[in-house]
Every structure is written in C-alpha cells, then in structure tokens.
C-alpha cells in the first residue's frame, strides 16, 4: 500500500526545503516564519492544497503545535524536530474535547419554522387559483362563441329549407295552372298559402317572403304571356 504523507511529514519537508521565509531554529526544535505572505504565495501551494497562511496556522493548532512565547510566528511541537523526520509522521490531529464538540441545535418551534413555507404555499395556491379563473373565463367565452356560431348555422339551414319548400310550391302551382290566364291567381294564392301555411321549418324573414312574392309575380307574368297565343293572353281574354 503506498505511503500517504501525513501533515507532519509534509510540514517537515516544507520546513527543510531551504526557503528563506521559513526554517528551523538553531537547535532544530522550533520553526520560524519570517514572511507569511510570501510563504502562502510561493511555498504552501507546493505541499498543501491551498495558499493561505491562516489555514496553515489552524492546521498547526489542530495538530497540537504551539506558538513560542514572545513570538507570533515561531512554532513548536515535542515530536517535530529537524533530526527526526520519521517522528514527524506520527503527529496526529488532536481530537476535540467532549465539551468542545458541537452541541445539537435546539429544536425550533414548528409553527415558526413552517411559517415561511406556509406563506409560500399559500401564495402558490392563490396564483394557481387566479390562473384557473382566467382559464375558466377563456373557456366560457369560447363556448359562447361556439354556441352563437351553431345557432347562426341552424338558422341559415332552416331558412334554406323554408325557401326551398316555398319554391317547390310555386313551381307546382305554375305547373298546375298550365300557363293559362288563371294561373297567375293560382300562383299568387299558392305563394300566399305557402307563406301562411303551418311551418315545416322556422318562419321566414320579411325579405325572404318578399323574394317569394316577387318570384310568384314573375311566374304569373310567364303564365299570361303563354296564354296569349291561344286565348289572347290576360288582356286578350277580356276582349274575346
């Protein structure tokens, strides 16, 4: 299994690397730091995964290193010596004391903790309700337009059926008159009776009735013209 350098082993290699910003004391039992900024910029990243002197200081404290009295940047550990690199490998991170361990946070009031969630849920519900109302209004407008279109289509279809029936009655009346002078009255009567007959469809508009009457008059004129050759026409009938 390959050896994984411990913090003590990497620190021993760093201090012994010969940089002018960090080194050993004369007796080899202390470590001094002269330029923390340059150490963090040029040396620490080569041995550790960061470039911060405060982070290195916290790691030193966590591994039981102490600062020598009267100096802010001179460190000491009883197992960290220049002539004992193997001993530096045994330096372990100290465990926190029981009273220093993080205490669990006191449970919060469930009503207080859930209040923001309840407010956000209520806001979402209100927004969804507004969207549903808008969708309902849109559906009602669409339904009204469809109903109006359907009613118009039914009215137009009924009108066409009614006009067709009236035209059939007019054609039948004209055929029964035989084109004679009496046919004009029969056609007009047929048109009137068709207009007043019980509706086989919805009632016609006044414009449609006027159109039917105009058609009856035309057919009557056709009947008078046809009878003129045999009986002197509508006018000739009186003179004969």
């Amino acid at each position: 299994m390959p050896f994984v350098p411990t913090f003590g082993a990497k620190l021993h290699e760093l201090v012994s690397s010969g940089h002018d910003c960090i080194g050993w004391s004369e007796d080899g039992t202390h470590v001094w730091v002269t330029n923390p900024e340059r150490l963090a910029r040029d040396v620490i990243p080569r041995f550790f995964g960061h470039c911060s002197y405060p982070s290195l200081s916290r790691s030193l404290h966590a591994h039981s290193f102490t600062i020598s009295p009267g100096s802010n940047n001179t460190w000491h550990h009883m197992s960290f010596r220049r002539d004992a690199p193997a001993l530096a490998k045994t330096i372990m991170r100290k465990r926190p004391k029981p009273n220093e361990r993080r205490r669990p946070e006191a449970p919060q009031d469930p009503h207080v903790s859930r209040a923001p969630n309840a407010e956000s849920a209520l806001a979402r519900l209100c927004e969804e309700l507004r969207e549903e109302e808008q969708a309902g209004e849109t559906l009602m407008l669409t339904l009204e337009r469809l109903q109006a279109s359907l009613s118009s289509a039914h009215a137009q279809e009924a009108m066409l059926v009614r006009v067709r029936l009236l035209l059939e009655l007019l054609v039948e009346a004209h055929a029964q008159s035989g084109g004679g002078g009496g046919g004009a009255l029969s056609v007009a009567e047929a048109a009137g009776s068709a207009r007043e007959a019980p509706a086989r469809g919805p009632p016609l508009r006044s414009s449609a009735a006027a159109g039917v009457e105009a058609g009856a008059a035309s057919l009557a004129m056709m009947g008078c013209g046809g009878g003129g050759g045999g009986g002197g026409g509508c006018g000739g009938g009186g003179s004969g």
Side-chain angles (χ1 to χ4, degrees):
M1 182 176 181
F3 170 72
V4 179
T6 61
F7 174 80
K10 290 190 289 185
L11 182 64
H12 194 281
E13 185 180 0
L14 185 152
V15 176
S16 302
S17 59
H19 293 280
D20 57 356
C21 55
I22 189 171
W24 295 100
S25 62
E26 293 183 0
D27 59 357
T29 58
H30 291 73
V31 177
W32 48 259
V33 177
T34 58
N35 194 327
E37 291 78 11
R38 189 193 307 170
L39 177 67
R41 185 183 68 247
D42 300 335
V43 183
I44 293 178
R46 300 180 182 180
F47 298 90
F48 299 97
H50 59 83
C51 55
S52 172
Y53 183 73
S55 179
L56 179 64
S57 299
R58 288 192 294 269
S59 297
L60 291 171
H61 282 295
H63 288 81
S64 301
F65 281 78
T66 59
I67 297 177
S68 299
S71 175
N72 292 331
N73 293 317
T74 300
W75 300 86
H76 171 72
H77 192 284
M78 58 182 303
S79 298
F80 193 75
R81 299 195 302 270
R82 179 175 53 195
D83 58 351
L87 186 61
K89 299 177 183 179
T90 62
I91 297 176
M92 304 296 293
R93 189 182 186 90
K94 62 181 179 181
R95 296 181 179 179
K97 296 179 182 180
N99 58 352
E100 293 179 353
R101 294 179 180 177
R102 185 178 180 180
R103 296 179 181 179
E105 297 180 357
Q108 298 181 353
D109 187 355
H111 299 287
V112 175
S113 61
R114 294 177 182 177
N117 295 333
E119 292 178 357
S120 61
L122 180 60
R124 288 195 300 271
L125 289 175
C126 292
E127 183 65 23
E128 292 177 359
L129 180 60
R130 284 193 294 269
E131 293 178 356
E132 292 293 338
E133 291 178 351
Q134 293 176 357
E137 293 177 357
T138 303
L139 289 176
M140 288 300 296
L141 292 174
T142 303
L143 180 60
E144 291 176 359
R145 288 196 296 267
L146 291 175
Q147 289 177 346
S149 300
L150 183 60
S151 299
S152 177
H154 286 169
Q156 293 177 2
E157 182 180 0
M159 181 66 70
L160 292 175
V161 171
R162 184 64 174 167
V163 170
R164 185 170 61 250
L165 292 174
L166 291 175
L167 290 177
E168 290 177 356
L169 288 174
L170 290 174
V171 172
E172 182 180 356
H174 179 66
Q176 290 178 359
S177 67
L185 181 59
S186 299
V187 172
E189 291 176 352
S193 63
R195 185 171 61 252
E196 297 174 358
R200 286 187 252 177
L204 283 173
R205 300 177 184 175
S206 59
S207 59
V212 172
E213 292 176 356
S218 299
L219 290 174
M221 292 177 64
M222 292 172 60
C224 292
C234 293
S239 59

